Amino acid sequence: MKNPMLEAVSLLLEKLLLFSNFKLFSSGAPGEDKARNSFYAINSFLRGDVLEVPRVHLTHYGIYLGDNRVAHMMPDILLTLTDDKKLTQKVVSNKRLLLGVICRVASIRVDSVEDFAYGAEILVNHLDKSLKKKALPNEEVAERAEQLQGPLTTYSLLWNNCEHFVTYCRFGTALSPQADKFCEILKLIIRDQRSVLASAVLGLASIACLGLAPHTALPAIFIPFFLWMAG
């Protein structure tokens, strides 16, 4: 049986990661980005290659399928609102992306290299070096990505994101070093006893400002307590 408290904490951590790292796509119009960087060395990409698009705080991943097509996991709220493929196949806007992450809905979609990269630099197979894992044959990687294409899937920034999709296709195991790094940083924060003091001070401040009530007193007591026990 799942622990409701752990599920709530997990959901909170995912939202914190989202709002601290929400730089996946630039805020400008797609045409502006493409105009600045409209050419990619598509001929140098091999079917089954991992394409990586570094952003300010995170990296977006996809699998190259050949013929200027990239399979990648993309959150999109529009998937829950319509079955019209003409609408859902349009480039995902920031609003659609954000709402899709919050509602935890995504799909494995196929876009052109230009739409996938959104004007940013593309790295090829960089994960092979950083993870130091042996990659599966490129054709098998591409076939895995194609088999997962289409159906709705539950999206999670920590447990099921674009990096999990790519590493499953490329190495046979779903991994996300980006999410792992965030969790490690969170562990350091929790283990730092100053976090207990800071949460206690904030709790007292909320009671002083909002008055003594269950919605102020309980967090002021339990948050420092759980941080103390976890540390």
Side-chain angles (χ1 to χ4, degrees), residues 8 14 19 24 40 43-44 65 74 77 103 116-117 120 122 126 128 143 146 151 159 170 185 187 200 213 229:
E14 291 175 24
F19 291 111
L24 184 58
Y40 293 101
N43 291 335
S44 68
L65 301 179
M74 178 62 68
I77 188 61
C103 295
F116 164 76
I122 294 178
H126 189 262
D128 293 5
E143 289 177 355
E146 289 171 337
W159 318 121
R170 185 73 174 175
I185 293 174
K187 287 180 183 178
M229 294 301 294

Side-chain angles (χ1 to χ4, degrees), residues 12 25 33 61 66 85 107 130 148-149 158-159 161 189 207 213 222-223 226:
L12 176 60
F25 292 106
D33 284 328
Y61 295 88
K85 292 186 178 180
S107 70
S130 60
L148 295 173
Q149 178 187 344
L158 293 182
W159 318 121
N161 60 40
I189 294 174
I207 292 175
F222 285 111
I223 292 177
F226 284 130

Side-chain angles (χ1 to χ4, degrees), residues 1-2 15 24 51 54 58 64-65 71 89 93 97 100 106 112 130 146 152 167 181 192 195 217 222-223:
M1 182 180 295
K2 293 183 178 180
K15 298 307 176 278
L24 184 58
L51 304 187
L58 52 80
Y64 187 64
L65 301 179
Q89 273 302 117
S93 65
L97 172 68
S112 68
S130 60
E146 289 171 337
L152 291 179
T167 52
K181 182 179 179 181
D192 190 337
S195 300
F222 285 111
I223 292 177

Side-chain angles (χ1 to χ4, degrees), residues 1-2 9 13 19 33 90-91 111 125 134-135 176 204-205 224:
M1 182 180 295
K2 293 183 178 180
V9 171
L13 295 183
F19 291 111
D33 284 328
K90 292 182 178 179
V91 178
D111 286 307
N125 296 331
K134 183 179 180 180
S176 180
L204 292 174

